[in-house]
Amino acid sequence: MTQSQPIPLIEARQLSLHVPIVKPSERSLMANPSRIITDLYLARGKRTLATLIDSVSFTLSPGERLGLIGSNGAGKSTLLRLLAGIYKPSSGRLTVNGTAKGLFDISLGMHPEATGLENIYLRGLQMGLTLKQIRELIPQVMAFSELVSDIEKPLSTYSTGMRLRLAIAVSTMIEPDILLLDEWIGAGDAAFNAKVKTRMMSLVEGSRGLVLATHNTGLMKSLCTHGMVLDKGRSTFIGPVDEALAFYGEQVAKAKMLPSRVAGV
């Protein structure tokens, strides 16, 4: 009897994302809001579209950790946000089996005039938690952030470091099936940064799958099993992480040699 294949955590088939380009002559929309209705419903077909993700296909199976490799603007962050459900694909099919959580925009949903405690609730609700779940997690968040004595103060009175502590503590308080990371989360304070590293590793090891975008090749080698090279929104290589990084290195080397060859012609 043949053993059945595990159900993929993520299955993307010909995934694409197109967004309209706003031309300089159309920026008068900001000064003339009444044009928005015309633009959306009457002139929509005239808009030029930019392709941010172009026919990307891949499968993430349980236990796999995928690193997204590419230069700035290659589409890594955009693809992560598609997987997280922040953007809706323009075409193609995306199936996510399990809870996928992205650790980007970790301060999203937090209000400067609300207290630290109130912001735990605001951020928790934005993450999809119930009030009961948030109440149960509050002691953990307060202990991790080390803001117990300041938790009733408005967020506007917090230093940058204190805000970051609270945002990290809240955003990492639940473990998803699929962890989506746009760069590794860290903090300036050495002692707290050690706590964050331990928490982040716990999230990675506790997840059933990982998709990571980072320029840190050492981190990618240590965490990822596979790599996908992206170039202008297209997947140009997918395979074992070492092979993917080697492929990307070759592409970068070729790109650096191209200007000198052209100059010598």
Side-chain angles (χ1 to χ4, degrees):
M1 182 181 293
T2 58
Q3 188 175 4
S4 60
Q5 293 293 324
I7 299 174
L9 296 174
I10 297 176
E11 190 171 10
R13 291 291 174 262
Q14 297 297 307
L15 206 61
S16 296
L17 177 66
H18 312 293
V19 297
I21 298 175
V22 179
K23 299 176 182 178
S25 60
E26 296 172 324
R27 295 190 185 277
S28 59
L29 282 173
M30 301 300 292
N32 185 9
S34 63
R35 283 196 56 198
I36 294 177
I37 303 300
T38 303
D39 181 73
L40 286 177
Y41 294 101
L42 300 180
R44 193 172 182 178
K46 300 178 182 178
R47 275 285 175 86
T48 301
L49 296 177
T51 299
L52 302 185
I53 299 296
D54 190 0
S55 304
V56 170
S57 297
F58 73 96
T59 298
L60 184 75
S61 298
E64 290 184 343
R65 298 173 180 176
L66 178 66
L68 303 181
I69 306 165
S71 59
N72 291 329
K76 304 185 299 297
S77 297
T78 303
L79 180 57
L80 280 174
R81 283 158 175 76
L82 271 173
L83 301 179
I86 296 173
Y87 301 149
K88 183 180 179 181
S90 302
S91 61
R93 180 169 59 87
L94 174 63
T95 304
V96 178
N97 296 304
T99 58
K101 180 179 175 226
L103 288 187
F104 27 82
D105 301 329
I106 61 173
S107 297
L108 185 67
M110 302 180 75
H111 196 283
E113 299 308 316
T115 67
L117 182 60
E118 290 167 339
N119 272 295
I120 294 176
Y121 279 98
L122 290 172
R123 178 62 175 151
L125 290 170
Q126 191 272 335
M127 291 166 58
L129 300 178
T130 65
L131 290 174
K132 183 177 183 293
Q133 288 174 320
I134 297 170
R135 280 194 295 269
E136 292 173 348
L137 289 167
I138 283 175
Q140 171 190 322
V141 173
M142 291 173 64
F144 186 83
S145 65
E146 302 173 4
L147 295 172
V148 178
S149 61
D150 298 296
I151 205 68
E152 296 287 357
K153 296 179 181 178
L155 192 69
S156 59
T157 66
Y158 285 20
S159 67
T160 301
M162 292 168 67
R163 292 188 188 197
L164 184 60
R165 282 171 178 251
L166 184 61
I168 292 174
V170 177
S171 296
T172 60
M173 64 184 175
I174 58 173
E175 295 185 355
D177 295 322
I178 308 161
L179 184 61
L180 309 173
L181 283 179
D182 195 353
E183 292 295 348
W184 190 256
I185 293 179
D189 178 81
F192 187 71
N193 196 43
K195 289 177 60 176
V196 174
K197 183 178 180 180
T198 301
R199 171 67 68 86
M200 292 296 294
M201 287 305 302
S202 176
L203 287 177
V204 171
E205 292 168 1
S207 65
R208 297 175 60 211
L210 168 72
V211 183
L212 167 69
T214 180
H215 292 286
N216 187 330
T217 56
L219 178 67
M220 187 172 292
K221 285 184 178 181
S222 67
L223 293 182
C224 298
T225 59
H226 294 75
M228 178 195 294
V229 180
L230 290 169
D231 180 33
K232 298 178 182 177
R234 293 187 65 86
S235 174
T236 58
F237 182 94
I238 185 167
V241 65
D242 288 335
E243 294 180 18
L245 287 168
F247 177 88
Y248 178 65
E250 292 172 0
Q251 297 302 108
V252 171
K254 289 179 181 178
K256 289 181 178 179
M257 292 173 62
L258 187 59
S260 59
R261 288 179 178 175
V262 173
V265 173

